[in-house]
Amino acid sequence: MQVFDKARGAGGRLATRRFEWIQENGSEGRARLDHGAIGFAARSAAFQHFVVEMQSQGLITPWHPALAPQSLPLEQDVPLYVVSPEMPLLCKHLLAGVQTHWSFALDRLTREDAGWRLQAGEQRHPDTFDAVVLAIPPAQAAPLLNGLRDDWARFASLIPMQPGWTLMGVAREDEAQGSEWTLARPELGPLAWVIRNDRRPGRVADPGHAHWVVHARAGWSRLNLEQDAGWVKHQLCTALEVFLGHEVRWAHAVVHRWRYALPPLGRTPSHPLPPAPQHWWDQRLGLGVCGDLFTGTGIEGVEGAYLSAMALVQDLQQPVTADLAASTDAL
Ligand SMILES: Cc1cc2nc3c(=O)[nH]c(=O)nc-3n(C[C@H](O)[C@H](O)[C@H](O)COP(=O)(O)OP(=O)(O)OC[C@H]3O[C@@H](n4cnc5c(N)ncnc54)[C@H](O)[C@@H]3O)c2cc1C
C-alpha cells in the first residue's frame, strides 16, 4: 500500500500548526495550536475499541473541558477525546511502515491495462495500482471521479461542506485575567468555539501566555470566505475581545481558512445519502471512496471517517476480480 497526500505531512483535518516568532525581548517564541478537529466522540463499539487501544498506547486522551461560565452547554452527551501531544500524531502512528508521498496533489486518475495511474500536475507516478481509494473531502473527490463514476462525482459535488475560518495565536496574559475554563460556545456573534489550547490534555502550559484557537461559525465563514485574511483576523480578534470582555494582547496570531471543514449537520432532502452505505466501492474498477461525507446520523467527523474507512477496508480485502481490459474499455 502507498499513501499520497497533497499536504506536507500527515493529519489532514486532525491538524496542529507549529509556529515560531520573535518575541518582544528578541527571543524566539514557539507554540503548537490545534486548528483543525477540536476533539472527537466515540459512540460506536468499533470506534470505542480503537480509542481504548490508542489510549493504552498513550496517543489518545479523554478531554473533559471546563466550560466558560458564559458558554452554551455542549451538545455532546459522550466524552471527547484528543490526540496527545498534537492531533496529527494519530495519523503518523497509523502510517508507520507505510510508503508515503507528501506534496502530491492528485489531479488525474487513469486506468491502463496494467492498473491505475496517478498524476499530480506534470508529475506522473511510475507505479500502477490494482485499487485506488479516495479518502478526501467530497468537493475534492468529485473532479477526480468525473468520467470514472459520474454518479459518484455528481453526488460528491452536491455535498455542501461547511467552511470555517479559524484564528489561532498566543497572547500575553496577566494573572488577573486568568480564568480556569478551557472551552466556550458563544451564544451570539461570529464565533462558534473558543478554546484555551494550552489547557487541553497533553499540551504544554506557557506561563504568562494564553494559547487561543477560535473557530468562526460556518454561516459567518461562508459569507466571508473570500475576504482578505487580514480583514478576517481583525474581525475574529475583535469578536474574541468582545466575548472575553477584555483586550487580547497578541504576541503572534494567524488565521486559517478551511474550505471544507465539516459535512453539513444532518441530511436535508436535497442532499440525501444513498441508503446506508458507509463508503463507495466499485469492485470491477478497483475504485473506492470513504471519509466523513458518509456520516451524519449521530456518528460524525473523525469517528465517521474511521468507520467509513474500516467498512471500505473489508471490501478491499475481497480480491479484485476486474477484467482490467474490459473495465478500461468501459471508461
Ligand atoms: C475546524 C474543524 C473542526 C472540526 N471539529 C471536529 C470535531 O470537533 N469532532 C470531529 O469528530 N470532527 C471534527 N472535524 C472534522 C474532522 O476533522 C474530519 O471529519 C476528519 O478529519 C475527516 O477525516 P478524513 O480522513 O475523511 O479527511 P481529511 O482529514 O480531510 O483528510 C484528507 C486528506 O486528503 C488530502 N487531499 C485532499 N485532496 C487531495 C488530492 N487531490 N490529492 C492528494 N491529497 C489530497 C488532504 O491534504 C488531507 O490530508 C473538524 C474539522 C475542522 C476543519
Side-chain angles (χ1 to χ4, degrees), residues 36-53:
I38 299 167
F40 46 85
R43 293 174 191 274
S44 62
F47 194 56
Q48 280 169 6
H49 182 78
F50 171 76
V51 164
V52 167
E53 198 184 314

Side-chain angles (χ1 to χ4, degrees), residues 8-80:
R8 279 176 295 166
R13 280 171 279 162
L14 277 175
T16 300
R17 173 82 59 92
R18 294 177 179 206
F19 54 61
E20 294 163 5
W21 71 98
I22 303 301
Q23 303 193 94
E24 274 175 344
N25 63 8
S27 67
E28 195 178 70
R30 285 171 189 220
R32 290 192 277 189
L33 296 167
D34 308 312
H35 64 299
I38 299 167
F40 46 85
R43 293 174 191 274
S44 62
F47 194 56
Q48 280 169 6
H49 182 78
F50 171 76
V51 164
V52 167
E53 198 184 314
M54 293 297 115
Q55 236 181 303
S56 72
Q57 297 184 38
L59 273 166
I60 288 182
T61 316
W63 180 34
H64 306 286
L67 278 186
Q70 68 273 44
S71 171
L72 290 174
L74 288 183
E75 280 167 358
Q76 306 262 25
D77 53 354
V78 290
L80 273 178

